[in-house]
Structures are given as structure tokens and as C-alpha cells.
Amino acid sequence: MRKLVIILAALLLSGTAVRAQVDLEKEFFSLPDSVTNSYLDSIDVQIAPPNDYWMVGVFGGASMQYGFFNPERLVKPVWNMPVYGFSVVRHFTMFGIFHNMGLEFGAQQNYEGYEFKTNKETGYRSVESGAYRTVMKVPEVFLNSHFHVDMNEYFKIVAKLGIYGGYRQSIQRTLDQGYDENPAYQALQNEFRDYDRRYTYGIQGGLGIAVMFSPFEFHLNAQAKWGWNSFWNPDYYSKYSYRFAYPLDATFTFGVYYQFTPRYGHTRGQLRKLARKMVQEQNETHE
């Protein structure tokens, strides 16, 4: 008898659940009879525009050269300025969903180089062609992925990752004591050697912040780059040793950009503001 009661109760509950599911589906997935296809076609649905716009700007600042060596050498940062250039940024919405994407391409006047420092214990300092410090001017072009996150209407965070390429245009060596009076080394102070490499390329990336007062934006960026082409042929000193030196640098710049097309933010407050504006314009049109 107990088993029969349990079976009947289970059947009753399952029937109630099915009926409730049917009612929910009818409530949430069916439309009133007055809502016809022609009615839906007559509705003008306002869609918020994507955060897609173009901007162009100029920037300037300073760079820090460090270098990555084998065999390992004691080095210290070398500061050079001015770094200056321009870039064009295209913001776009990827797949119609990710509105914080962008591409940046441009050119800049930069530097590469290194400076060896003295070992405090031994008093020894490395040299290269008699020089303890070498600085090269390098015009570069670059292409970056340009990510941005709007914090509010006037402030955003920027992240970049991309590639660069350049040409080591000129060189200036500072000769160490004992080499500065040698004519052979003096002749190399502003000349590239046969085994020096002139082209440079690699990857770069960085972070920045931007303040926006449309149509102008003010960007403060810190960017690091890692070169993939050595300063010289790695086997020039000996066929039995591999002596390389790659750029490992950073730049710090401030830029001013102009928005060529309207910008729409996508923070919650900006979307509410944009929605109110669209409704207001629609009401004014129908009046």
C-alpha cells in the first residue's frame, strides 16, 4: 500500500512540473496575437554605435638602452633623447563583441646601444672596439596591437604588443682610457665595422594611460623592446666562440592624439548616457 501511494504521488508531481514548464514556455516564448510580423518590421530599433574610430598623433620622450650579452658583461642603463615620432590608431570592435581592440602603426626616431660598467672588485671594464659606451641612432617603423579599457568618460588604460624594424643609421663610440689615443680605435669612433649589423628588428610591448577630452587624447606610455638581431656577427671574434649582443631597451613617451571620427565609450555610465541621448533624439524626430 505504501509503495502505491509513493508511485501515485510521484506521478502527480511530475505532471505538475510538466504543466508548469508548459506555462513558463508559453509566458516567456510566445507573443500576444496583436504583435504581428508587419508590426515588428515597422519598429525602428536603435543600436548603440560601436567604439570604432580613427586617431592620429605625435609623441616624444626618452629611451633607455641596456643590452643582453654573451658572454655576460656588467652593463648599466644608457639614457638618450629625444625620441619622437607619430602613429595612427584604428579602434575596432572584433566580431561585433570585443570593443576594446585596435591596431597602431607609425614611425619614430629611437636609439640603441649599451654601456659597460667597472667591476668594483677587480677594477676591470669590458670594451668593444676600444669603447666602453656605444650609442646608435635608429629610425624605426612599428605595428602594434592596441588594447584599451575605458575606466570612465575621460580616462582609459592602454596596452600594446607588436613588432618593429629599423636601420642603425649612425654610431658614436666613447673610447676607454688607453684606447682614446690610439689612431686605429679613433677611426672607429663614428664608423661601423664590416661585421657590424645595421638592420634591427624584434618585438615590443608596453602599458600606458590616456586622458580624453574629445576630440583630443593625451597619452603617457612606457614600452619595452627586445631586439632579435645582434649588434655584430656573433662569430666575428672567433669561429669557436659565440659572442652576441642583442638590444634590450625601453622608451617613455608623452603623446597628443586627435580623433578623426566620433568616439563612443562603453562603460556602464557612458552607455546610459548614450541611450538617453538616442531616446531624446528619437522623441525630437517624432515631434
Side-chain angles (χ1 to χ4, degrees):
M1 186 65 180
R2 176 181 294 180
K3 291 183 180 181
L4 180 61
V5 172
I6 294 175
I7 293 173
L8 291 175
L11 291 173
L12 180 63
L13 289 174
S14 62
T16 304
V18 170
R19 189 180 305 108
Q21 182 177 357
V22 172
D23 293 340
L24 286 174
E25 290 179 352
K26 182 177 181 181
E27 179 180 353
F28 285 100
F29 300 102
S30 61
L31 295 173
D33 296 336
S34 59
V35 181
T36 62
N37 290 336
S38 59
Y39 171 77
L40 293 175
D41 293 338
S42 66
I43 297 177
D44 183 16
V45 180
Q46 297 292 326
I47 301 176
N51 197 28
D52 298 350
Y53 66 101
W54 288 86
M55 68 179 185
V56 62
V58 295
F59 57 87
S63 66
M64 181 189 72
Q65 285 66 56
Y66 195 72
F68 178 70
F69 295 86
N70 178 48
E72 186 176 353
R73 306 190 189 187
L74 290 176
V75 295
K76 64 180 181 180
V78 182
W79 288 93
N80 289 284
M81 61 181 303
V83 172
Y84 56 89
F86 75 94
S87 69
V88 179
V89 182
R90 171 69 168 109
H91 294 88
F92 61 90
T93 301
M94 181 178 288
F95 308 128
I97 301 174
F98 305 105
H99 56 263
N100 52 357
M101 309 296 292
L103 284 176
E104 178 182 15
F105 61 92
Q108 65 181 5
Q109 176 65 61
N110 204 350
Y111 300 86
E112 289 184 350
Y114 49 86
E115 180 174 345
F116 304 126
K117 66 179 181 180
T118 304
N119 188 316
K120 294 181 179 180
E121 297 180 357
T122 63
Y124 172 77
R125 176 164 62 183
S126 296
V127 294
E128 187 66 38
S129 294
Y132 69 91
R133 174 175 175 163
T134 299
V135 176
M136 290 166 280
K137 286 187 177 181
V138 185
E140 298 172 346
V141 295
F142 56 85
L143 175 64
N144 294 329
S145 295
H146 187 105
F147 308 96
H148 62 98
V149 178
D150 294 352
M151 306 305 294
N152 54 46
E153 187 175 356
Y154 302 103
F155 178 79
K156 68 179 177 180
I157 297 176
V158 177
K160 304 179 183 182
L161 180 64
I163 57 176
Y164 78 93
Y167 184 75
R168 293 160 184 156
Q169 189 176 45
S170 63
I171 189 168
Q172 182 179 4
R173 294 184 173 94
T174 304
L175 298 179
D176 202 358
Q177 186 176 4
Y179 297 90
D180 52 356
E181 297 181 359
N182 189 318
Y185 291 106
Q186 290 176 350
L188 292 173
Q189 280 189 279
N190 302 110
E191 298 292 335
F192 287 96
R193 305 165 302 185
D194 294 339
Y195 42 82
D196 284 328
R197 294 182 173 180
R198 304 291 293 273
Y199 289 99
T200 178
Y201 52 85
I203 60 173
Q204 60 182 17
L207 294 172
I209 58 175
V211 179
M212 300 169 289
F213 296 97
S214 297
F216 293 98
E217 297 188 12
F218 305 92
H219 289 233
L220 186 63
N221 288 293
Q223 188 164 278
K225 79 172 189 179
W226 177 24
W228 287 354
N229 196 20
S230 178
F231 292 126
W232 53 71
N233 294 335
D235 59 351
Y236 87 89
Y237 187 79
S238 171
K239 299 296 182 181
Y240 305 101
S241 62
Y242 197 78
R243 300 162 59 89
F244 62 73
Y246 293 99
L248 186 60
D249 306 333
T251 57
F252 304 89
T253 59
F254 173 77
V256 180
Y257 287 81
Y258 179 80
Q259 302 166 355
F260 273 115
T261 52
R263 170 189 171 272
Y264 300 94
H266 280 74
T267 64
R268 184 175 300 177
Q270 289 171 319
L271 290 175
R272 284 200 299 263
K273 182 178 179 180
L274 181 60
R276 287 194 296 267
K277 181 180 178 181
M278 294 172 64
V279 171
Q280 182 179 359
E281 291 178 350
Q282 187 175 15
N283 292 335
E284 293 174 354
T285 302
H286 291 295
E287 290 178 357

